[in-house]
Amino acid sequence: MATVYLAEDLKHKRKVALKVLKPELAAVLGAERFVQENTTTAALQHPHILPLFDSGTADGFLYYVMPYIQGETLRSKLDRETQLGIDDAVRIATSVADALDYAHRQGVIHRDIKPENILLHEGRPMVADFGIALAVSAAAGGRMTETGLSLGTPHYMSPEQATAEKEIGARSDVYSLASVLYEMLAGQPPHIGGSAQQIIMKIIAEPSEPVTRYRKSVPAHVAAALAKALEKLPADRFASARTFAEALGNPSFTHGTTAGHGVGLGRQSQKVWWVTAAIALITLVGGYLIGGNVRSDDDVRPVHFRVSIPDGIVSVGNCCGRSFTLSPDGHTMVFVGMTAAATGGLYRLSLDQLDAELIPGTESGASPFFSPNGEWLGFEAEGILKKLRLAGGPVVPIARSGPVSNATWTDRDQIVYAATQGRNRLWTVSAAGGQPVMIPTADTVGPGGLPYPAALPGGRAVLSSVDGGAGGLANRRIVVVDLETGGVDTIGIGTNAEYADGHLFIGGADGTLSVQPFDPARRRLTGEPTAILSGLTRGGPWQLAFAVSAGGALAYRESGSNAQAGEEAWLQLMVAPVRGVTTPRDEGSSAVDGAQALPMPTPRPTTSAPAISPDGRQVVFRVPSLNGTNRAESVGDLWLLDMLTSTVSRLTTGGALTPIWTRNGQYVTYYFIGGSGSPSGIYSRAADRSGGPELVIAGREMHPASWTPDGQVLFTQLVGEGSSMDIGIAAPGDSVPRWLLRTNAAESQPMVSTNGEWLAYTGEGQVWLRPMRGDGAPVQVSAGLGESPRWSTDGRTLYYLSLPDRAVTAATMAGATVTGRLTVSDPIAATAEGQPAAGWDLFPDGRSMLFVAPTGGGERPRLAVVQHWQAFVRAMAGTR
């Protein structure tokens, strides 16, 4: 309900917490009434209650002031420890109950007891925001629906709060406190779900599982006290917080329902609660409003429609990350929209509206994802995870991540993401910000890592996929990753999966989307799959492009007439002029007047990783197979293009990556994935194909990057500690590369200058320079973010891609000093190539550049939506 600032009380020379109510809430509150209601709260004096210092209005903003407490919230402690010691948990709950009992006797109900509102000051719990919810409710009167907010937090709401009853008493706080104690003991609240609506319905109608199901060591009397405090009917609960606390400390306390399987309702009571729930769920305010008429499931019919893409958007997606997502309630879609000039950002579309709008501050955003309550939108931009409130507010940085294939926001307020620069290993970071921590999964997940994580209920596990052993889309396996142990359990076959409302949506290698019942508690599929859609487009190397919400919406990207099922828009090699070059055009110069497409081996290839020979006459590039049945086919092979004769010929067979040229231009060096009796490693082959491939150095996940001028030392990109990319060197006779740069900064793309004096490379999303000899400190070359450096022939200019616009920048150098920077190209569209390959190269004369550009025959991207997917699945199952 408020934004919290750390402030200084100038009069008393002390730090305080200054809480400013949200403008949309303050807009319907009267300042006089709000301050009047706060006088009751200000009178509360208790050792476990955080007092109210002041409240008032300033320039239309309503605020209140509380002491600043050094320590942490119970939420922070639970995020770190998951479960507390039984004695510690009971002690905290008893102290909070004592505070509640005192407040209740003063006529004050808290209404929002949750771990975030319990502060721990040197281990002593203190309840914050006491009575603020009451003050807001009383001041707003009947106008709370205008605020767009709901009082209470779903996991800790009492049933009477969930059904929006007007009279909320002390027993409601008892229920909420019991929910907090339950989480302290079990590691999760009594009811969890994929959306606020699911949680509310469970609170209203489903019995709570005995806490001993999750933790057998909980004493019987504590479990009994929890069972009574979590009764659905207020009259069946403890009459006061004091009696709840007494029961927690009484070893002889019992409660009849603990002998069964949870707390339940009689048949008549269930009818009453379900009717109340049906009414409440169409009138609840804010994030819990689902609206519409009350109809039975059989009456609901799915609605299928296409989304209108704004004019000027030529592609949905930006490089490798996820390209669109849905809010938990299914009302809002956010997608990545890119123009022909490689500019764009994140667009928001309410599914009941016609037009999408660009979200301010997301102009370079990718991989969008929602918080579980739908209030926040997370995304990656310029190698940094960020978030913003969709209702309005600034963009807030979370952590430096590098490019990500996907990120997901768990119920425990943690963000889990797959770092593409680190071989798609999984990392986790608090949504509030902090230092990311790698999840310790086994190396057996394969070189593709664990891309596209998707959270499961409870926040303890995510879905992902792995290579099944033979490579290729057809061999991908769906797995569940335990975020605490790093365990990886295979549960099915598919490219990627998402969970919603008791089902897994699973993408297939053939572009088919299937739905299968799934038990998140046991992490197992429990029924037969139903194929519901076909012809979906790939959204990345191992992903079908779809998104689903528990609120009933399903979105997917259709294949156009110019693409096969499961296929992305194809990628073309282009040559374009470098601006600002004044050197004369020599005979055979590469200079062109405008962007031109180069000849390709097939009518519609998907090309990547281009590299120009030292004499500028040949180009080597990779052509992968989008629908390969094994890894070698999916990786593809290297081809050579002769610029003079416009002929194309195959150079390798069996799976090759990241080609570079030797300095004399006679050989192409590349990484071979292994197979057919040949080990994985770095190989070289003569460009005239006069001989077979020759092994340079054996090893997995080693990518060549640059030879020294004498051809004696090869700079490589290696997967290092934490699966981040690091730089190594290999010389003749070496059995393994030696580390040159090995840090947590993900260094990659080393390029040795033509005179052999300098090494340029990418690190922490910037371009750096260091001397080849001596111990000189690295110098940052890029003015901001940058990648993919390339040297001029004379070694006096260092070219690189500036980010996020991806235009080529020329930095003139005087030794290690940058004397000037000039943008010399239009923006280059991002592709799925990413690091370690660069996606562009510079011709030796410096007049032209080569790059990869997506093309799809001019057809507009197509996104489709199914509303009420539950009914759609039932209909498809009935026609199977």
Side-chain angles (χ1 to χ4, degrees):
M1 295 185 294
T3 302
V4 187
Y5 299 92
L6 175 62
E8 182 181 357
D9 180 349
L10 298 180
K11 179 178 180 181
H12 301 100
K13 297 182 179 180
R14 59 184 176 182
K15 292 182 178 180
V16 295
L18 175 64
K19 302 193 174 188
V20 182
L21 293 188
K22 290 182 178 179
E24 60 267 31
L25 180 59
V28 295
L29 298 182
E32 182 178 351
R33 184 71 183 277
F34 174 70
V35 173
Q36 177 184 343
E37 293 296 336
N38 275 331
T39 57
T40 303
T41 303
L44 296 178
Q45 299 293 326
H46 190 276
H48 294 297
I49 294 179
L50 198 65
L52 179 68
F53 281 166
D54 193 11
S55 63
T57 179
D59 292 334
F61 290 95
L62 302 182
Y63 69 89
Y64 55 101
V65 184
M66 290 185 165
Y68 166 65
I69 299 298
Q70 289 185 321
E72 64 178 341
T73 65
L74 179 57
R75 167 55 58 212
S76 299
K77 186 177 180 66
L78 286 173
D79 287 343
R80 185 177 66 253
E81 301 180 16
T82 305
Q83 293 168 291
L84 306 188
I86 294 174
D87 291 342
D88 195 24
V90 172
R91 177 186 60 82
I92 291 173
T94 302
S95 297
V96 174
D98 188 42
L100 288 174
D101 180 64
Y102 165 79
H104 294 164
R105 286 185 280 110
Q106 312 305 312
V108 179
I109 310 300
H110 192 288
R111 294 175 176 240
D112 197 17
I113 291 293
K114 57 186 177 182
E116 289 83 350
N117 278 339
I118 300 175
L119 309 183
L120 301 176
H121 177 53
E122 298 181 350
R124 180 167 61 92
M126 301 186 71
V127 183
D129 288 359
F130 224 110
I132 295 301
L134 175 62
V136 171
S137 179
R143 297 173 296 157
M144 272 304 295
T145 53
E146 301 175 38
T147 66
L149 298 171
S150 177
L151 296 178
T153 301
H155 291 99
Y156 314 99
M157 271 186 176
S158 66
E160 55 268 35
Q161 280 183 295
T163 52
E165 290 191 10
K166 293 183 179 180
E167 296 298 327
I168 301 297
R171 297 177 198 239
S172 176
D173 280 350
V174 170
Y175 184 98
S176 298
L177 175 58
S179 298
V180 173
L181 176 57
Y182 191 103
E183 182 175 1
M184 287 192 282
L185 296 172
Q188 66 181 45
H191 298 289
I192 58 176
S195 68
Q197 293 95 330
Q198 281 186 332
I199 297 168
I200 290 171
M201 289 303 298
K202 289 180 179 180
I203 289 173
I204 293 170
E206 291 189 9
S208 303
E209 293 283 356
V211 70
T212 49
R213 176 184 175 184
Y214 300 100
R215 194 169 180 181
K216 294 181 179 179
S217 59
V218 175
H221 72 281
V222 174
L226 273 175
K228 182 175 178 63
L230 291 172
E231 287 281 10
K232 301 297 183 189
L233 295 177
D236 290 337
R237 295 182 213 135
F238 292 102
S240 68
R242 177 180 57 81
T243 54
F244 178 34
E246 290 173 349
L248 290 173
N250 181 5
S252 62
F253 180 80
T254 60
H255 184 58
T257 57
T258 56
H261 293 285
V263 182
L265 292 174
R267 181 170 299 177
Q268 185 63 33
S269 296
Q270 285 181 342
K271 287 184 179 180
V272 173
W273 278 106
W274 274 106
V275 171
T276 307
I279 298 172
L281 281 174
I282 62 172
T283 57
L284 275 177
V285 299
Y288 316 131
L289 175 66
I290 63 174
N293 296 320
V294 180
R295 299 185 296 176
S296 69
D297 288 344
D298 293 336
D299 292 332
V300 174
R301 296 290 182 267
V303 180
H304 212 155
F305 58 93
R306 288 193 176 96
V307 170
S308 175
I309 302 297
D311 293 339
I313 299 299
V314 299
S315 67
V316 174
N318 180 9
C319 187
C320 334
R322 181 174 187 160
S323 56
F324 57 91
T325 188
L326 290 167
S327 61
D329 62 8
H331 291 170
T332 303
M333 173 189 286
V334 172
F335 62 88
V336 181
M338 300 299 294
T339 68
T343 59
L346 300 183
Y347 286 78
R348 170 175 50 195
L349 174 66
S350 296
L351 296 184
D352 58 353
Q353 301 294 321
L354 294 177
D355 299 321
E357 58 181 0
L358 180 64
I359 302 174
T362 69
E363 286 73 12
S364 57
S367 302
F369 57 98
F370 276 94
S371 63
N373 62 7
E375 182 179 356
W376 291 86
L377 175 71
F379 60 97
E380 178 264 316
E382 303 169 353
I384 299 173
L385 283 176
K386 304 179 179 182
K387 65 179 181 179
L388 60 80
R389 291 183 186 270
L390 276 184
V395 174
V396 180
I398 299 172
R400 181 172 292 280
S401 61
V404 304
S405 65
N406 192 36
T408 185
W409 198 317
T410 74
D411 292 342
R412 295 179 177 274
D413 221 23
Q414 295 286 312
I415 292 172
V416 179
Y417 65 90
T420 57
Q421 291 180 353
R423 206 175 63 172
N424 279 320
R425 284 298 181 91
L426 295 183
W427 295 73
T428 182
V429 64
S430 170
Q435 182 65 37
V437 177
M438 191 183 73
I439 299 169
T441 53
D443 290 335
T444 54
V445 297
L450 292 158
Y452 312 113
L456 286 172
R460 291 185 172 186
V462 296
L463 296 163
S464 187
S465 68
V466 298
D467 184 349
L473 283 182
N475 293 289
R476 300 294 295 179
R477 298 291 184 266
I478 303 300
V479 298
V480 173
V481 183
D482 191 297
L483 300 180
E484 297 176 353
T485 66
V488 179
D489 295 323
T490 300
I491 60 172
I493 299 174
T495 60
N496 56 300
E498 289 192 29
Y499 173 85
D501 195 23
H503 294 77
L504 281 197
F505 287 70
I506 302 175
D510 59 353
T512 298
L513 181 64
S514 299
V515 180
Q516 196 164 354
F518 180 76
D519 182 350
R522 294 190 295 134
R523 303 178 183 178
R524 290 290 180 268
L525 294 164
T526 58
E528 294 299 316
T530 299
I532 60 171
L533 292 167
S534 61
L536 271 67
T537 301
R538 285 258 300 281
W542 301 292
Q543 179 195 46
L544 283 196
F546 70 89
V548 64
S549 75
L554 166 66
Y556 63 97
R557 182 174 172 183
E558 297 179 281
S559 294
S561 60
N562 62 351
Q564 300 175 2
E567 187 171 327
E568 297 175 275
W570 36 294
L571 304 174
Q572 176 72 52
L573 288 182
M574 305 289 292
V575 176
V578 173
R579 298 198 297 261
V581 177
T582 57
T583 56
R585 183 178 299 190
D586 300 327
E587 182 180 355
S589 169
S590 66
V592 292
D593 296 324
Q596 300 177 7
L598 297 182
M600 290 292 103
T602 62
R604 287 177 47 241
T606 292
T607 59
S608 63
I612 303 169
S613 62
D615 61 6
R617 301 298 174 91
Q618 295 188 87
V619 175
V620 62
F621 57 94
R622 182 171 68 95
V623 178
S625 171
L626 287 172
N627 297 306
T629 59
N630 57 53
R631 190 182 179 213
E633 291 181 4
S634 297
V635 167
D637 291 302
L638 304 182
W639 292 70
L640 285 170
L641 167 65
D642 189 303
M643 297 285 290
L644 294 181
T645 63
S646 297
T647 57
V648 180
S649 57
R650 185 192 295 266
L651 180 67
T652 68
T653 301
L657 293 162
T658 52
I660 66 169
W661 291 86
T662 57
R663 294 284 180 161
N664 58 19
Q666 296 180 8
Y667 293 85
V668 174
T669 305
Y670 56 91
Y671 172 65
F672 176 67
I673 67 171
S676 303
S678 299
S680 301
I682 296 176
Y683 287 75
S684 283
R685 188 182 184 189
D688 61 7
R689 297 179 295 169
S690 57
E694 299 179 3
L695 180 63
V696 176
I697 188 168
R700 289 180 59 83
E701 296 303 319
M702 300 188 303
H703 299 271
S706 179
W707 286 96
T708 54
D710 60 9
Q712 295 301 305
V713 178
L714 174 65
F715 282 76
T716 63
Q717 302 167 105
L718 308 170
V719 175
E721 184 176 355
S723 296
S724 65
M725 196 68 72
D726 293 299
I727 296 175
I729 56 175
D734 288 344
S735 58
V736 294
R738 292 167 288 158
W739 296 106
L740 178 66
L741 292 174
R742 190 181 188 185
T743 71
N744 293 327
E747 296 92 352
S748 62
Q749 302 173 327
M751 292 296 295
V752 182
S753 62
T754 52
N755 58 16
E757 295 182 1
W758 301 97
L759 176 70
Y761 62 94
T762 301
E764 295 185 308
Q766 299 163 340
V767 175
W768 299 85
L769 186 70
R770 58 177 290 171
M772 287 285 289
R773 300 172 183 83
D775 298 323
V779 175
Q780 182 177 331
V781 176
S782 53
L785 296 176
E787 66 176 19
S788 308
R790 292 289 184 268
W791 285 100
S792 63
T793 303
D794 60 11
R796 297 177 181 176
T797 306
L798 183 60
Y799 297 82
Y800 61 90
L801 288 181
S802 59
L803 300 177
D805 61 346
R806 296 184 61 82
V808 175
T809 296
T812 53
M813 310 296 299
T817 303
V818 179
T819 60
R821 296 183 183 90
L822 178 67
T823 300
V824 296
S825 82
D826 294 326
I828 300 173
T831 70
E833 187 59 34
Q835 295 181 346
W840 84 288
D841 204 359
L842 184 72
F843 280 91
D845 61 10
R847 298 183 58 87
S848 301
M849 54 180 282
L850 177 71
F851 62 97
V852 176
T855 178
E859 182 170 309
R860 304 257 301 158
R862 300 196 303 185
L863 293 177
V865 172
V866 176
Q867 290 279 33
H868 310 303
W869 62 257
Q870 295 91 340
F872 185 67
V873 171
R874 287 195 299 271
M876 297 302 295
T879 59
R880 184 174 54 188

